[in-house]
Amino acid sequence: AAGWEERGGLPDPRCTPGAVAVGVSLATICRYGYSRSVRPPEGYTESLKLRQMRAYGFAGRAAGYEEDHLVALSIGGAPRDPANLWPEPRGGEDNAGQKDGVETWAARTACGHRMSLGALQRAMAKDWVALYREAG
C-alpha cells in the first residue's frame, strides 16, 4: 500500500475512493445527532491514521492530520470503512477545516432537498475541493 499520493487536498483514490453506509436514508441522516451516533471511536481512527500516514509517506506529528471521512458522515458516509477514511492535513491549502465547512453545507443541502443525497455523495467522493469551491 506504500506509495499513496495526496493531491491538492484529495486522497489517493486507489486507497480512499470513498464509501457510503448501506441502507442509510435521508430521514436517518437528517435526524439531530446522527453523525455523532455513528462516529467511530478515536482508538479505531487513530491507529488507522498512523498506518495510513506511513502509506502516504506523511512526515510530522499525527496531530497535524485529521483522520477524516471522504464521504462525510453527515451525508451517509461509511463510518468505519478504511476506503472512506484518510489522514487529511489540518494545515495548508484545502485542509480539514475547509472540509468540515463543506460537510455542513452538504448536510444542509441534502436535508433541504436542494440536491439528491446520491449526487452529493458522489461529488464529495470524487472531488470535495471542487464541491467546497461550488458551495463557496
Side-chain angles (χ1 to χ4, degrees):
W4 295 346
E5 296 180 58
E6 184 218 23
R7 341 167 294 298
L10 300 174
D12 191 321
R14 294 175 297 173
C15 56
T16 312
V20 297
V22 177
V24 174
S25 69
L26 188 60
T28 300
I29 67 162
C30 293
R31 257 189 249 130
Y32 179 78
Y34 168 75
S35 293
R36 186 174 43 247
S37 75
V38 298
R39 185 171 308 286
E42 189 175 330
Y44 174 78
T45 58
E46 195 64 19
S47 63
L48 181 60
K49 175 170 71 171
L50 295 173
R51 286 193 311 272
Q52 290 178 336
M53 283 179 66
R54 284 191 296 277
Y56 272 98
F58 289 160
R61 298 175 5 158
Y65 299 87
E66 174 183 320
E67 188 68 3
D68 200 16
H69 294 88
L70 179 56
V71 177
L73 296 177
S74 62
I75 59 167
R80 290 177 166 262
D81 189 335
N84 197 42
L85 287 152
W86 97 103
E88 182 178 27
R90 293 187 190 276
E93 194 173 339
D94 304 320
N95 60 53
Q98 291 170 328
K99 175 92 171 21
D100 290 345
V102 79
E103 291 173 2
T104 300
W105 172 86
R108 288 183 182 145
T109 299
C111 294
H113 303 280
R114 292 187 299 274
M115 190 173 181
S116 80
L117 185 57
L120 279 164
Q121 292 168 338
R122 286 186 297 277
M124 193 170 279
K126 181 179 179 194
D127 189 342
W128 79 261
V129 174
L131 196 59
Y132 173 77
R133 288 177 180 37
E134 180 182 315

